[in-house]
Amino acid sequence: MELRAYIARRLLLLIPVLFGVTVFIFAITMFFSPTERATLYVTSPQGMRDLPSIIEQYGLDRPFFVQYGTWLNQVFHGNLGWSNVVSMPVGRAIFHYLPATLELAIFATPIIILTGIFFGSRAAAHKDKPVDHATRVVAILGWSLPTFWLGLLLMMIFYGYFRGLLPPGRLSSAMEIMVTSGDFIRYTRINTLDAILNLNGPVLLDALRHLILPVITISTVNVAFIMRLMRSSMLESLGKGYILTARAKGVQEKLVISKHARRNALIPVITVSGYLFAALAGGAVITETIFSFKGMGWWASQSALRLDISSVLGFALFMAVMFVLVNLVVDILYTRVDPRVRLGGGVQ
Amino acid sequence: MKDLIKIRDLAVRFYTYEGIVYAIDDLDLEIRQGETLGIVGETGSGKTMTALAILRLIPYPGKIESGSILFFDKSIDQELELLKLRDDRMRSIRGNRISMVFQEPGAALNPVYTIGDQISEVFLLHRRRELAQRAKQRLDSLLSDGNGLAAGVKRPFWGWQRRIYDKIAKESHAFEPRLLGRLPLFRRLLWRMGYEAKLLTVDMLKDVEIPDAARVAVQYPHQLSGGMKQRAVIAMALACSPELLIADEPTTSLDVTIQAQMLELFRRIKVDKGASILFITHNLGVASEVCDRVAVMYAGRLCEVAPVGEMFVHPLHPYTKALLNAVPMPGKKLETIPGVLADALNPPPGCRFHPRCPSAMPICGQERAKLKEVSKDHMVACHLY
Amino acid sequence: MSKMFSKMGWIIVAVLCLSLVVFPACTGDGGGSEPIPYLHDGQFIQQTIGEVDSLDPAWGYDTASGEQTDYIYDTLLSYDQESTTDFITGLATNWTEVSTTAMKFHIASGITFHEGGNLTAEDVEYTFERALVQDRAGGPTWMFNYPLLGKFRTRSAGNITVTGAEIDAAVEIVDTDWVQFNFAFEFPAIQWKQILVQSWGSILDKEWCVANGEWDGDLSGEGWKAYNNPDKQDSYLYNHANGTGPWKLDLWEAGEYIRLIANDDYWRGAPPFDTVITQWVDEWSSRKLTLLNGDADHVYVPRAYIGELLDIDDLLKISALPELSNDCLFFNMNIDPESDLIGSGMLDGEGIPSDFFTDIHVRKGFSLAFDYDTYLADALLGEGTMLGSPLVNGLAGYDPDLPKYEQDLVEAAAELDLAWGGNLTSLGFKFTMVYNSGNIPRKTACEILAEALYSINPLYQVSILPMAWPTILDNIFTETETSKGPLPLFQIGWIADYPDADNFITPFMFSEGDFAYFQDYGSPTVDAMIEAARFMANGPARDAAYADIHNAYHDDPGGIMLAQPLGRRFFTKYISGFYFNPTIPGTPGPLYEMSKSES
């Protein structure tokens, strides 16, 4: 199938997906009473006596389809609603919080995938050898370490014990002032990228300094997943006939692994890596909270905790779009890695 | 003339959780120069392990426990002990002087690389100097014939490339080209060798009677039929004109008409290339068509070795006889060999075939029969003789 | 071979695990001994929790909003340091009581807003009229509505119930630079001043507001009604600010930080900090390390973590600050009979009836059963004052010597024996208490009560259930036609709007009060006492009236009064000038009067 037609068809698929997702989430929020949802707008015990008028004001007691219809109508007019937890429109909130999360994802995903693939294939190539045991142990440890524990530990060491070495937050306050002053143009709000675009070395270094710990935290937790997948996929691949053929051809063992086995083993890893990126782009709640690296995860969790429904819906829409797009990219990548796969057709 | 391969007392064992598997037990076998030797036996009799042992590719957890495999190197008129060769020397023999064709062409080809890539790889591995030489010659002609502005601009670059190829042609792993080969971007300088390999590949594909070879070279395995794939695999094995071609049931997974074509191809290879072939099969009919001599294996041991005519006319070993009886023939009742293949974990003592043997004697269960030459070139391991 | 390798693998595991355990132990609390460096000269950086809701003074009703509003805006007058009854001038240079129902303020001249406008009496009139016009649901402007318009809200069932003329008449300019407030009834001047001094009394620039699409100040037609009870985003002021205060709004990155910069032309003199940065950091460990690294001058310290900072020398530690707030376990005297939390809904030992707490012996018995000392020690770590009525320390009328309940299990048992015609002892009861999940002090209070009751009689069974805070609020502030909410007992606290006794007594004891209404508490007699005391001038007579009210609560308890917490503050040692006034929102205190220096 032609690539363009395929992409168009997949994007069209977004419409029912988005509709389904929002109806589903909206329906779930209806399990909360109007009063519970109204407490979002009340900030002190004194305001409680106005709950009935807030319910009236925001139409929180109207029937499900009326409320959903109002929301949908508003979306068709290009307005995703108001995110009360952060006092800005939902659309702007996404663009406000996405850069931080993307920055983490952009740095963490390659690290996770590359180390996962590297150690996964090493472990498979040296099955039942010390390397294999060590990588598996580290993988299991990383996987089972609670994120908050690891994050706090890293912060205590690199910010507490080594005083101020790798601070939490996205930028130190002096750099934050520089970034928000007139001379520095925030093209993307991804600090590292903006620093490069502005040719500003100090901001770049400072941003990187703040990125190290959260990226390590996210990576440690997620790398195990890719590593284990890569290992089993690689073991499967190493048992295939073409590996024996390659060896019988006289290919060096290193190349047998890196050329013949790995490329085939990568195929399942690509799918998972795609979803990993999509998931990371949806934010890492705990990491973002511990390191005050506030992004999508933090925003979404705050919205959910305070029953800020338009924010939750906005986030869900974003995630649905994200996953569909990632799926699309994964499918296209497939065709590049595995010649047997054709768009829309699966394996021939 | 010396035997190409001389296997002596070869023992291969697999160390599994259940216990030790005696995959090959004290095997003695020769492959003569220019002959086709068939190895016949049931599944699990150790045919494939023998082949893999020659290539030293016994899979984990198997190990070559003892014995020797001598490979006669014509160029230096010496016998090489394959089992004691350094790994890199062994690698330079695999695919080059001894190559192998596997049973399942679909599995033997890497699905993510084109046929051309997979065959050129063999050239790039074992024919670096030759490829570099060819590339150098092509550059020479470019340098002398090239005219016009483009050639003028490229001339110094070609000169540099030529120098590098020259180094490779003199010493296949010279330092500078090896370094360049590791650097991204610079690596691309060596593309001409790949190009030459591709040209050789297309020739090779033509050689195994693949029509439209240039197109097949850029196709992926899944785009070819089973017979085509097997031809491609054979082309890959023959690429460097090996002295020994091991074919492990090369026709089993193919349908009958293709099988016939394939056997024809093997016969022609033997004649054209003068290579020895070790032809592994469980099909006696197939063996009778292509082989000069046939060796019969049972449960990791050799039962009988004889020239193909002798074997089919005067089989000696009860197992060979049983095998021949089991060959399906039109108008004949199909017979089977009673009992099951000996358990490799707990092989029966003495002759391993004796529990199934119709002519078993008391001694068969106690003592192993030595391989004896009963007539010229006809050897059998049985207490009957 | 492979066996040996797997052995090595296990050794690696062991070493890794060991290092994971040992490393944190070595590094854990290493930070305390080193001195805190002096950093960020000229800046005040604090890390806290709690977002700013809105910078619109008439909208914000949370401490975070109030604190930032306070930095940016000025009010007509200020408290004199720690006092909550003495005032000093602010944007008003003088004020007089015109009559018992009117009060006027003289507006200072020569003061400019951050954006350049001049302060005039018109700005002041506009500010308060705008507050009355806006009157958002759930907002603070009821404090203006009530004295000025005679009603708590400008709406009833969605319809606007005041006229433009009424609003216009409530605030007017007299003698060009005086602004006069006309009350709907006799209203004590001191309470009006206490209301005006808070963040909702911040003065706006009329021209700037109108230029940016706010209400235009016209009360003649119906046009102003469009500005009544808007959505937050409809107002320009929620994220823009133009005050006369010591700091100007520089940047508000919602969820991350708000940054203010000095207003060097401030009429009282340039402020002590060039920049004031408030960062929102949810994670306590992160805040703590930031403070100890000198990257913050002040952080919010939850009570549970106070112990982690007490041994650190380089901190300015201030303790025992009586916050104007309290917590109470309310009895619901008219429980929704459909409630899941009252078992069978009858007095049969398997539940409680809907009117269980109407029996005064039950309420007294419960009040006597509660272990106040344990609560103080466990829930507040000893830092609090036990209360006998809603009145808290720091308010006129509070007297620590008035009677309050103490645990006495014998008397409690005796009271409960009298309850429900003497049947309770033999029948027993069962019901469920809820607390908002994660709130340990409230959970502790529930456990203390449940244990005490069980120890009196094993038939007195109370189970405890965590619930999400919005769900609890939903279950408290709800009513059916014949009953109140489904919670038999509920726990919630009150924070002062302005430091007057009535601000605490009315919600708890007046039959229409914020809490009392939802527990069906109150009597005409007590209502009359409250109304009589409400507008009395401070003095011995008012103190006596509140003593009577206190005793009325003691004799007819509406809930188990818990404690008034005592606060603590932690700054780096470089900060000085802090004093405690409980009405200042936020934890840093009087920032304009504080300073930071290395010595």
Side-chain angles (χ1 to χ4, degrees):
Chain A
M1 197 189 307
E2 206 202 331
L3 185 64
R4 214 176 302 167
Y6 178 71
I7 292 175
R9 214 186 58 170
R10 291 297 291 268
L11 290 182
L12 238 101
L13 199 71
L14 254 179
I15 296 168
V17 168
L18 294 186
F19 186 76
V21 164
T22 53
V23 168
F24 180 67
I25 290 177
F26 217 98
I28 290 178
T29 60
M30 288 299 129
F31 283 108
F32 295 98
S33 73
T35 320
E36 283 170 271
R37 283 176 283 139
T39 52
L40 168 66
Y41 301 96
V42 179
T43 48
S44 61
Q46 283 86 341
M48 294 301 161
R49 62 184 144 208
D50 286 324
L51 282 175
S53 66
I54 288 169
I55 292 171
E56 159 115 27
Q57 185 181 353
Y58 295 97
L60 299 177
D61 55 350
R62 273 179 272 167
F64 168 69
F65 284 107
V66 177
Q67 289 191 53
Y68 183 71
T70 315
W71 179 80
L72 204 61
N73 182 41
Q74 169 190 294
V75 171
F76 282 133
H77 288 86
N79 176 4
L80 285 174
W82 174 258
S83 175
N84 204 51
V85 287
V86 292
S87 295
M88 59 175 91
V90 169
R92 215 174 79 210
I94 292 176
F95 284 106
H96 190 94
Y97 291 106
L98 185 58
T101 298
L102 267 187
E103 191 167 32
L104 277 185
I106 287 170
F107 278 88
T109 313
I111 291 179
I112 292 168
I113 293 175
L114 292 180
T115 50
I117 288 174
F118 179 76
F119 286 108
S121 42
R122 270 189 75 97
H126 300 95
K127 185 172 181 278
D128 293 334
K129 301 272 171 60
V131 186
D132 184 28
H133 291 303
T135 33
R136 279 159 76 190
V137 166
V138 172
I140 293 167
L141 274 181
W143 182 242
S144 48
L145 281 184
T147 317
F148 74 89
W149 186 84
L150 179 67
L152 286 178
L153 178 68
L154 286 174
M155 189 160 63
M156 279 176 186
I157 296 169
F158 292 104
Y159 186 56
Y161 188 77
F162 299 107
R163 291 209 130 188
L165 185 63
L166 298 174
R170 286 190 71 193
L171 283 177
S172 42
S173 52
M175 291 301 158
E176 191 70 50
I177 290 172
M178 181 185 286
V179 164
T180 50
S181 71
D183 298 336
F184 192 99
I185 306 164
R186 302 189 87 175
Y187 300 98
T188 59
R189 295 181 63 90
I190 296 174
N191 290 332
T192 42
L193 187 58
D194 286 348
I196 293 169
L197 292 175
N198 283 280
L199 299 176
N200 191 324
V203 171
L204 179 64
L205 286 180
D206 192 61
L208 288 174
R209 200 158 69 108
H210 286 77
L211 267 167
I212 294 172
L213 291 188
V215 166
I216 290 179
T217 308
I218 295 184
S219 304
T220 311
V221 175
N222 288 298
V223 81
F225 192 47
I226 302 281
M227 207 186 277
R228 290 170 62 89
L229 182 70
M230 186 67 197
R231 181 178 176 274
S232 58
S233 168
M234 191 77 178
L235 280 178
E236 193 193 327
S237 178
L238 280 173
K240 288 279 170 64
Y242 51 81
I243 296 300
L244 194 57
T245 310
R247 287 185 179 139
K249 275 199 282 192
V251 178
Q252 298 98 304
E253 195 55 29
K254 219 168 63 186
L255 279 178
V256 170
I257 303 284
S258 65
K259 191 176 166 193
H260 288 272
R262 191 178 290 163
R263 183 139 174 217
N264 283 285
L266 277 180
I267 293 164
V269 175
I270 288 173
T271 325
V272 172
S273 302
Y275 290 127
L276 177 79
F277 180 79
L280 287 183
V285 180
I286 296 169
T287 310
E288 285 177 12
T289 306
I290 287 179
F291 292 104
S292 301
F293 208 97
K294 297 192 175 162
M296 295 297 279
W298 177 84
W299 173 60
S301 65
Q302 290 294 311
S303 305
L305 287 173
R306 290 188 51 194
L307 295 177
D308 190 341
I309 289 156
S310 28
S311 304
V312 172
L313 286 169
F315 179 74
L317 284 181
F318 165 79
M319 284 311 281
V321 172
M322 197 70 205
F323 268 93
V324 169
L325 288 183
V326 161
N327 232 327
L328 191 62
V329 172
V330 163
D331 280 355
I332 293 170
L333 263 182
Y334 258 3
T335 62
R336 302 296 301 271
V337 175
D338 189 345
R340 288 168 296 179
V341 177
R342 291 174 65 189
L343 285 181
V347 174
Q348 206 182 31
Chain B
M1 208 159 45
K2 292 226 164 158
D3 292 331
L4 183 65
I5 294 278
K6 201 185 284 169
I7 302 174
R8 286 288 171 267
D9 303 325
L10 181 70
V12 174
R13 291 180 191 167
F14 279 72
Y15 294 87
T16 65
Y17 284 115
E18 288 83 21
I20 299 170
V21 177
Y22 297 86
I24 297 177
D25 205 14
D26 291 331
L27 183 85
D28 291 319
L29 191 65
E30 299 81 32
I31 302 170
R32 297 172 188 162
Q33 292 191 28
E35 77 162 350
T36 302
L37 173 68
I39 300 186
V40 182
E42 289 168 83
T43 310
S45 60
K47 300 171 304 210
T48 306
M49 281 310 140
T50 310
L52 292 176
I54 295 172
L55 285 168
R56 272 174 53 191
L57 286 176
I58 300 287
Y60 179 85
K63 262 183 78 184
I64 297 177
E65 196 67 20
S66 60
S68 100
I69 300 175
L70 295 171
F71 173 70
F72 179 67
D73 190 338
K74 242 182 292 183
S75 57
I76 51 171
D77 197 26
Q78 259 184 4
E79 286 184 320
L80 299 177
E81 173 52 89
L82 291 182
L83 298 185
K84 292 193 176 120
L85 230 45
R86 264 176 31 219
D87 278 355
D88 57 333
R89 297 243 2 238
M90 190 62 216
R91 255 202 316 272
S92 71
I93 287 176
R94 286 187 203 130
N96 185 12
R97 312 184 72 172
I98 303 175
S99 58
M100 187 160 172
V101 174
F102 295 92
Q103 178 174 359
E104 192 70 59
L109 288 168
N110 196 326
V112 300
Y113 294 105
T114 60
I115 300 296
D117 282 340
Q118 298 187 52
I119 298 176
S120 343
E121 192 179 19
V122 184
F123 291 114
L124 288 164
L125 280 166
H126 303 296
R127 292 285 179 270
R128 278 174 69 84
R129 294 173 60 179
E130 194 186 324
L131 293 175
Q133 190 64 33
R134 281 162 172 264
K136 199 179 91 182
Q137 279 162 8
R138 213 171 287 269
L139 278 166
D140 281 339
S141 63
L142 275 173
L143 283 164
S144 58
D145 301 346
N147 284 316
L149 185 64
V153 174
K154 285 179 181 169
R155 203 170 284 270
F157 185 65
W158 285 341
W160 186 28
Q161 270 192 321
R162 190 190 169 282
R163 203 167 52 83
I164 292 163
Y165 289 132
D166 195 38
K167 279 194 177 160
I168 301 174
K170 285 192 183 115
E171 191 201 335
S172 73
H173 288 290
F175 174 73
E176 189 186 342
R178 216 171 61 201
L179 180 73
L180 289 176
R182 281 167 184 271
L183 298 174
L185 284 179
F186 287 103
R187 191 181 296 165
R188 308 195 64 172
L189 278 174
L190 303 175
W191 71 272
R192 282 176 191 279
M193 281 169 66
Y195 175 74
E196 298 298 337
K198 286 275 159 63
L199 293 181
L200 291 177
T201 298
V202 174
D203 288 346
M204 208 59 234
L205 288 172
K206 282 181 187 151
D207 213 36
V208 293
E209 292 152 24
I210 286 181
D212 207 355
R215 197 173 60 85
V216 170
V218 296
Q219 282 184 320
Y220 288 95
H222 71 274
Q223 293 168 303
L224 301 179
S225 68
M228 280 301 163
K229 274 187 258 193
Q230 192 60 294
R231 280 174 197 276
V233 171
I234 292 168
M236 186 154 61
L238 292 178
C240 291
S241 311
E243 284 136 273
L244 176 63
L245 173 66
I246 302 172
D248 184 4
E249 311 235 11
T251 59
T252 311
S253 66
L254 305 174
D255 56 50
V256 185
T257 47
I258 310 286
Q259 241 179 50
Q261 290 174 21
M262 216 50 73
L263 295 177
E264 185 52 41
L265 182 65
F266 276 101
R267 267 195 294 266
R268 196 174 60 74
I269 290 165
K270 191 175 74 174
V271 176
D272 290 1
K273 311 261 172 185
S276 302
I277 300 178
L278 179 62
F279 199 97
I280 296 168
T281 181
H282 65 272
N283 186 333
L284 285 166
V286 169
S288 72
E289 277 187 61
V290 286
C291 298
D292 300 322
R293 288 196 306 142
V294 177
V296 178
M297 283 185 79
Y298 182 79
R301 285 183 188 166
L302 208 55
C303 302
E304 187 169 5
V305 188
V308 68
E310 174 90 5
M311 179 74 85
F312 284 86
V313 181
H314 298 297
L316 295 178
H317 201 283
Y319 177 62
T320 316
K321 290 177 185 167
L323 266 185
L324 284 168
N325 271 331
V327 174
M329 298 262 193
K332 190 183 139 226
K333 188 172 157 270
L334 183 71
E335 291 192 32
T336 54
I337 307 172
V340 288
L341 186 68
D343 181 4
L345 271 172
N346 295 300
C351 175
R352 288 193 180 169
F353 187 63
H354 85 266
R356 301 169 79 184
C357 185
S359 3
M361 303 176 290
I363 190 173
C364 295
Q366 291 153 17
E367 207 173 296
R368 179 180 172 181
K370 295 259 160 43
L371 201 63
K372 292 187 279 261
E373 187 157 14
V374 264
S375 60
K376 185 176 161 20
D377 278 355
H378 194 156
M379 289 182 286
V380 67
C382 181
H383 290 291
L384 285 172
Y385 307 95
Chain C
M1 282 287 263
S2 70
K3 259 181 194 162
M4 193 193 89
F5 285 138
S6 67
K7 215 178 263 174
M8 279 179 67
W10 285 115
I11 292 170
I12 297 168
V13 179
V15 170
L16 271 169
C17 292
L18 203 70
S19 64
L20 282 171
V21 176
V22 172
F23 200 36
C26 305
T27 57
D29 272 335
S33 52
E34 283 182 60
I36 297 173
Y38 178 82
L39 296 172
H40 310 291
D41 187 45
Q43 300 183 357
F44 182 83
I45 302 176
Q46 64 159 328
Q47 292 198 335
T48 184
I49 55 166
E51 292 296 314
V52 166
D53 184 38
S54 166
L55 291 175
D56 182 349
W59 183 287
Y61 202 10
D62 55 307
T63 29
S65 304
E67 180 189 340
Q68 301 300 328
T69 312
D70 260 11
Y71 297 149
I72 300 170
Y73 290 95
D74 279 322
T75 49
L76 291 178
L77 63 175
S78 304
Y79 284 117
D80 187 4
Q81 301 266 313
E82 285 154 315
S83 169
T84 55
T85 47
D86 299 331
F87 298 88
I88 59 168
T89 57
L91 296 181
T93 55
N94 192 11
W95 49 84
T96 55
E97 288 168 58
V98 181
S99 68
T100 51
T101 60
M103 196 174 173
K104 66 176 184 178
F105 292 80
H106 178 256
I107 308 305
S109 58
I111 293 174
T112 53
F113 287 93
H114 299 155
E115 302 283 332
N118 271 317
L119 174 74
T120 61
E122 219 176 303
D123 292 324
V124 178
E125 185 197 25
Y126 175 83
T127 299
F128 290 98
E129 285 180 353
R130 178 182 173 277
L132 296 175
V133 163
Q134 177 171 308
D135 185 38
R136 68 112 170 166
T141 38
W142 65 271
M143 281 176 267
F144 299 149
N145 300 344
Y146 182 53
L148 294 176
L149 303 174
K151 44 190 84 167
F152 281 102
R153 283 284 176 235
T154 53
R155 292 168 305 279
S156 170
N159 299 312
I160 292 172
T161 53
V162 293
T163 63
E166 280 178 82
I167 294 173
D168 202 17
V171 191
E172 54 186 7
I173 299 173
V174 290
D175 309 330
T176 66
D177 47 6
W178 288 80
V179 172
Q180 180 167 323
F181 297 96
N182 298 311
F183 303 128
F185 43 79
E186 289 189 14
F187 194 74
I190 181 159
Q191 287 185 38
W192 184 242
K193 287 188 281 186
Q194 284 171 333
I195 291 169
L196 289 188
V197 81
Q198 300 275 75
S199 64
W200 32 84
S202 298
I203 304 303
L204 305 170
D205 182 356
K206 181 181 180 183
E207 288 80 13
W208 179 80
C209 288
V210 176
N212 285 300
E214 285 295 302
W215 171 62
D216 60 3
D218 183 10
L219 283 163
S220 54
E222 298 287 295
W224 64 271
K225 290 185 178 175
Y227 296 91
N228 185 266
N229 195 23
D231 287 352
K232 195 206 285 183
Q233 61 269 38
D234 293 343
S235 160
Y236 183 74
L237 291 177
Y238 87 86
N239 62 350
H240 295 84
N242 175 25
T244 56
W247 287 282
K248 307 187 262 198
L249 174 64
D250 185 28
L251 189 67
W252 175 20
E253 293 274 44
E256 293 170 54
Y257 64 90
I258 186 165
R259 188 170 69 219
L260 313 179
I261 50 171
N263 170 18
D264 291 325
D265 302 326
Y266 186 49
W267 58 275
R268 276 181 172 134
F273 302 103
D274 303 331
T275 316
V276 175
I277 300 173
T278 303
Q279 296 166 339
W280 294 291
V281 174
D282 301 322
E283 175 55 44
W284 155 245
S285 305
S286 180
R287 293 200 300 273
K288 175 187 163 189
L289 290 172
T290 311
L291 180 73
L292 298 185
N293 276 327
D295 281 334
D297 301 295
H298 167 69
V299 299
Y300 164 71
V301 186
R303 189 174 299 279
Y305 301 116
I306 283 169
E308 294 183 22
L309 294 181
L310 291 181
D311 295 335
I312 294 166
D313 299 329
D314 271 7
L315 293 176
L316 170 65
K317 292 170 282 229
I318 300 146
S319 59
L321 308 175
E323 317 267 10
L324 292 184
S325 71
N326 61 18
D327 231 36
C328 179
L329 250 170
F330 294 93
F331 302 120
N332 184 352
M333 279 164 255
N334 191 359
I335 309 162
D336 184 349
E338 305 292 312
S339 171
D340 305 333
L341 305 172
I342 54 171
S344 61
M346 285 182 290
L347 196 71
D348 55 1
E350 292 301 317
I352 52 169
S354 171
D355 55 353
F356 183 64
F357 288 109
T358 50
D359 190 317
I360 190 161
H361 298 298
V362 174
R363 281 180 278 140
K364 279 192 171 171
F366 274 44
S367 298
L368 285 164
F370 192 82
D371 186 349
Y372 299 90
D373 295 337
T374 306
Y375 174 78
L376 196 60
D378 287 2
L380 297 177
L381 306 175
E383 306 201 335
T385 311
M386 294 315 299
L387 301 170
S389 79
L391 281 179
V392 296
N393 184 12
L395 300 177
Y398 171 80
D399 181 352
D401 300 328
L402 289 172
K404 56 184 103 165
Y405 285 99
E406 274 168 38
Q407 189 186 31
D408 186 337
L409 292 177
V410 179
E411 253 187 78
E415 282 288 347
L416 290 170
D417 286 343
L418 294 173
W420 290 95
N423 290 327
L424 201 59
T425 322
S426 54
L427 287 171
F429 56 78
K430 268 184 192 164
F431 66 87
T432 305
M433 285 172 84
V434 300
Y435 67 94
N436 43 319
S437 35
N439 191 324
I440 304 298
R442 287 194 176 145
K443 185 186 178 197
T444 309
C446 292
E447 286 167 352
I448 288 172
L449 181 62
E451 270 171 38
L453 290 171
Y454 187 77
S455 73
I456 290 170
N457 184 340
L459 293 177
Y460 300 162
Q461 290 175 6
V462 179
S463 47
I464 298 164
L465 190 71
M467 230 182 223
W469 183 233
T471 314
I472 289 190
L473 291 177
D474 180 23
N475 286 325
I476 296 175
F477 299 101
T478 184
E479 56 182 326
T480 67
E481 285 191 3
T482 53
S483 71
K484 303 300 181 188
L487 305 181
L489 276 156
F490 57 86
Q491 246 186 113
I492 193 169
W494 184 260
I495 302 165
D497 294 305
Y498 55 94
D500 187 81
D502 183 60
N503 188 245
F504 276 79
I505 290 298
T506 298
F508 284 76
M509 293 179 68
F510 196 65
S511 52
E512 298 285 315
D514 295 74
F515 300 134
Y517 178 78
F518 289 101
Q519 55 172 150
D520 232 355
Y521 177 80
S523 67
T525 339
V526 177
D527 284 359
M529 288 164 73
I530 294 170
E531 281 178 324
R534 183 176 290 157
F535 300 134
M536 271 188 207
N538 284 347
R542 198 169 188 232
D543 292 349
Y546 279 113
D548 289 344
I549 293 172
H550 178 108
N551 289 330
Y553 200 78
H554 186 79
D555 295 341
D556 182 16
I560 302 174
M561 271 324 296
L562 300 174
Q564 171 187 15
L566 290 172
R568 280 183 183 267
R569 301 281 197 277
F570 294 90
F571 298 89
T572 59
K573 65 174 177 185
Y574 309 111
I575 299 291
S576 56
F578 177 87
Y579 62 79
F580 180 69
N581 185 314
T583 64
I584 297 175
T587 52
L591 206 55
Y592 178 72
E593 286 146 275
M594 291 160 65
S595 62
K596 173 176 172 180
S597 69
E598 192 161 6
S599 52

